[in-house]
Each structure stands twice: as C-alpha cells, then as structure tokens.
Amino acid sequence: VQLQASGGGLVQAGGPLRLSCAASGRTFSSYAIGWFRQAPGKEREFVSAISWSGGSTYYADSVKGRFTIARDNAKNTVYLQMNSLKPEDTAVYYCAAAASPRSIMGGGDYWGQGTQVTVSS
C-alpha cells in the first residue's frame, strides 16, 4: 500500500487543521492506519491510530481530547482532525500502515511522506 499525507499548513494556536492520508491499493481497508509526528531535534512520536474497521482508535496522551482520527474505506482515506492546536504540535506529520494498531505503535510497515504542520503562538 502506498500512502500520501496532505493537509498540513500554518495555523494559529487554538485553531483547527485536518490532515488526510490517502492510500492506493485495493487492500487499504485491511490495514490499520496511524499518524506519527517529528519535531525538529526530537524523535518521532506516535500520535494516533485506527483499526481497519474504524471501530478502535488510539491516541497519545498529549493529543487526547483534541485530535480525532477517522477513516473512510470507500475513499481509501484516513483523516486526523486536529483542534485546539498548540505551538508544541508543530512537527512533520507522517501516516503509516500496518496489520494492527499495535503494529502501528511498534513502528508501522508502510510510510507516506510527511506534511508540515506549524502552529504559531
């Protein structure tokens, strides 16, 4: 499966932004999809993941209550709705695919290119 992340940009603190992860391949609906981010000088960190059916979702504590992950298997797309953004959310965001959310959190098997999110204070 090939992944393409988009939707990044510059937003003021407190504002919203929605990222999209579009996938190619007929097996998209069989993969769990997740989001990671990497800020300058920091290690990549897990942000959120969703099971193949969309029935299970997972979030890092730092984004819980502010970010929402969802998927539309008919459109081969996973979304990350980010609300109440903070300057510390500034990072390059990547989407990844794997067999399960646990595999996602373990590092993912397929990766898309990143999309830059910058939150100004």
Side-chain angles (χ1 to χ4, degrees):
V1 62
Q2 293 183 322
L3 306 173
Q4 177 93 17
S6 63
L10 175 64
V11 62
Q12 287 189 330
L17 203 60
R18 189 177 79 161
L19 305 183
S20 298
C21 177
S24 61
R26 292 174 292 176
T27 59
F28 169 78
S29 61
S30 65
Y31 286 96
I33 304 292
W35 289 93
F36 290 79
R37 66 187 182 187
Q38 187 166 22
K42 295 188 177 181
E43 293 189 354
R44 185 181 65 196
E45 64 173 349
F46 168 78
V47 174
S48 182
I50 188 167
S51 62
W52 67 270
S53 67
S56 298
T57 57
Y58 306 83
Y59 299 94
D61 288 342
S62 59
V63 306
K64 203 171 292 183
R66 300 188 297 122
F67 291 10
T68 302
I69 192 169
R71 68 189 296 158
D72 185 339
N73 285 341
K75 296 182 178 180
N76 279 13
T77 302
V78 168
Y79 304 98
L80 185 69
Q81 179 66 46
M82 305 185 295
N83 296 329
S84 302
L85 282 162
K86 305 175 181 180
E88 51 264 43
D89 294 317
T90 295
V92 177
Y93 285 69
Y94 300 88
C95 57
S100 68
R102 177 172 292 185
S103 297
I104 290 286
M105 287 182 263
D109 295 326
Y110 304 94
W111 289 83
Q113 93 297 347
T115 186
Q116 176 71 46
V117 172
T118 303
V119 184
S120 63
S121 57

